[in-house]
Amino acid sequence: MNTIYLDHAATTPLDKAVLSAMRPYLSEEFGNADSRYSLGRNASLAVLSARDKITRLICGNHGNLYFTSSGSEANSWALKGVCAANFGKKMRIILSAIEHPSLIRAAEDMAAFGFETELINPDSSGIVRPEFVEKALNRGGAAFVGVMYANNETGVIQPVNPIYELCKTAGAFYFCDCVQAAGSLPLDCTFADGISLSAHKFYGPKGVGALWLKRGVKISRLISGGQQEGGLRGGTSNVAGIVGMAEALSLACADMGKTEERVRTLRDRFADEVTSKIVGARLVGDKVSRLPSNANILFPGCRGEEIMMALDMSGVCVSTGSACSSGASKPSPVLLAMGLSEEDAAACVRFTFGRENTKEQADFAAKAVINAVKMLRGD
């Protein structure tokens, strides 16, 4: 039985060209980037080149890029580091209620130091309206504002530019989690004071991410140690991972328009078939302002986990939400924040397509979903 992978929001397969770019730094070019002899200098130059390449691709020359182990680490560091640098001055954190757990939980950690967090719900389409953010900003004292570019569960794209303008007017730091958007949407770091990236979301290696900060932003050190990452994150550089991240983002950006149009066509083909053949099934979230890969579908009368397991038996890989929250038994906080009932939130399944998927796979998956739902509902 061949596997049909429809969970690209969780992770993506490593591109063969990316592996080829990484391979020398896993074998013959194994030097520590902080060593001064030739092997070390070669590794250091590879890291410098990758940093420059990613910075150019995200139009971030007016800031600094720091490598991390993941998008979650970048998110957590951004929130805790910026808040720590503002301790005693500004003591409020404003986050959308649909943020990744790495930001929500980092904010919860900061409560021990006196920081207060306000969560902003989106509208029923999953969009965090700028006027909602403005209302929160008007209360003053915001050290950190976080509204992601595209949600990891629904794929809904947020109005980041007007939100950033509001934050600039209020004198508040605006952070934009771009983990899901990178490789699918053009990134231009003029819409935030800080962004996060994760390589394995755009066909790069797991275990490497990045935090970009606008020049002049104050942030506390994450890891005490050596002078890596500007002295803010000590530890030996993951040279192969960093090289792979740069190569993966470069490839994704080069083919973005063509690839995403093809993925959107597959997603729509699948979603149209499923929602037309299953009574009550509907797409969750805004139908237009969303990532081309994402179809989060509600199946009344079923539990998403049961559909997911039935599809797994058919060789189709999907999820019921964020992989970072997959062990949770409660319905998705993102879907609840959008106004769904607990019953409806528990009946949702996320399908996310990728560039290796085919029409045949989309059709097979649609048929498998229709059969699974009919079986579970007894239709």
Side-chain angles (χ1 to χ4, degrees):
M1 180 172 62
N2 293 325
T3 297
I4 297 175
Y5 185 71
L6 300 181
D7 197 20
H8 292 80
T11 195
T12 55
L14 185 67
D15 188 295
K16 291 180 180 179
V18 173
L19 178 59
S20 294
M22 295 172 62
R23 188 172 281 115
Y25 300 96
L26 294 167
S27 52
E28 62 268 19
E29 293 290 351
F30 58 85
N32 187 318
D34 293 299
S35 297
R36 295 187 178 183
Y37 43 76
S38 59
L39 274 176
R41 291 196 303 272
N42 291 345
S44 179
L45 286 172
V47 171
L48 179 62
S49 177
R51 197 187 310 274
D52 288 344
K53 181 184 289 187
I54 294 171
T55 299
R56 289 196 305 273
L57 290 169
I58 63 175
C59 302
N61 288 325
H62 58 298
N64 299 304
L65 187 79
Y66 305 98
F67 290 113
T68 65
S69 67
S70 63
S72 290
E73 181 188 306
N75 286 348
S76 182
W77 179 18
L79 189 146
K80 292 182 178 182
V82 169
C83 286
N86 282 277
F87 184 76
K89 302 171 186 176
K90 298 178 180 181
M91 300 294 288
R92 289 183 65 235
I93 299 167
I94 299 171
L95 298 176
S96 80
I98 63 171
E99 292 305 301
H100 190 270
S102 55
L103 275 174
I104 300 288
R105 292 173 186 168
E108 291 172 355
D109 291 345
M110 297 308 291
F113 302 96
F115 285 87
E116 298 180 358
T117 299
E118 179 174 353
L119 296 181
I120 305 170
N121 285 340
D123 63 16
S124 60
S125 70
I127 294 176
V128 181
R129 299 292 174 184
E131 56 267 30
F132 300 169
V133 179
E134 184 175 27
K135 185 177 179 180
L137 285 168
N138 286 342
R139 297 187 182 95
F144 186 99
V145 179
V147 180
M148 58 176 33
Y149 196 169
N151 183 259
N152 48 301
E153 293 189 34
T154 65
V156 174
I157 299 168
Q158 304 302 321
V160 293
N161 285 294
I163 290 173
Y164 182 41
E165 291 303 317
L166 289 170
C167 290
K168 282 199 296 185
T169 300
F173 173 89
Y174 174 54
F175 179 76
C176 188
D177 175 345
C178 292
V179 167
Q180 290 294 326
S184 293
L185 301 175
L187 292 187
D188 182 339
C189 286
T190 59
F191 61 70
D193 296 310
I195 74 167
S196 57
L197 307 170
S198 185
H200 76 107
K201 303 295 187 178
F202 44 84
Y203 303 87
K206 297 177 181 67
V208 60
L211 170 66
W212 177 90
L213 294 174
K214 186 178 179 180
R215 195 168 292 115
V217 168
K218 294 182 179 179
I219 188 168
S220 294
R221 181 186 297 118
L222 176 66
I223 300 175
S224 300
Q227 290 304 305
Q228 296 90 352
E229 305 308 314
L232 296 175
R233 185 184 183 275
T236 304
S237 298
N238 176 8
V239 180
I242 289 168
V243 169
M245 182 177 187
E247 181 68 11
L249 187 58
S250 179
L251 291 172
C253 290
D255 295 329
M256 186 178 295
K258 182 179 179 180
T259 299
E260 296 313 310
E261 183 56 37
R262 180 178 170 278
V263 169
R264 180 184 290 105
T265 300
L266 287 178
R267 187 271 314 269
D268 290 346
R269 180 187 182 97
F270 166 84
D272 290 346
E273 178 69 6
V274 168
T275 55
S276 67
K277 296 292 177 60
I278 299 176
V279 176
R282 64 178 175 86
L283 201 63
V284 176
D286 193 274
K287 292 179 175 59
V288 177
S289 182
R290 68 188 304 133
L291 293 174
S293 60
N294 185 294
N296 192 309
I297 301 177
L298 191 161
F299 299 96
C302 293
R303 288 190 61 81
E305 289 184 0
E306 293 176 340
I307 297 173
M308 178 181 69
M309 295 307 296
L311 291 177
D312 188 38
M313 296 294 288
S314 299
V316 181
C317 301
V318 300
S319 75
T320 57
S322 170
C324 293
S325 302
S326 61
S329 58
K330 295 182 179 180
S332 160
V334 170
L335 302 181
L336 294 177
M338 291 169 60
L340 272 68
S341 67
E342 288 196 8
E343 181 180 2
D344 282 348
C348 292
V349 179
R350 182 185 70 180
F351 307 88
T352 45
F353 289 75
R355 62 195 188 198
E356 79 280 6
N357 291 133
T358 65
K359 289 181 180 180
E360 291 75 20
Q361 289 180 337
D363 293 343
F364 180 92
K367 187 176 294 185
V369 171
I370 293 166
N371 290 338
V373 172
K374 287 183 176 180
M375 177 193 69
L376 291 169
R377 296 203 306 202
D379 292 352

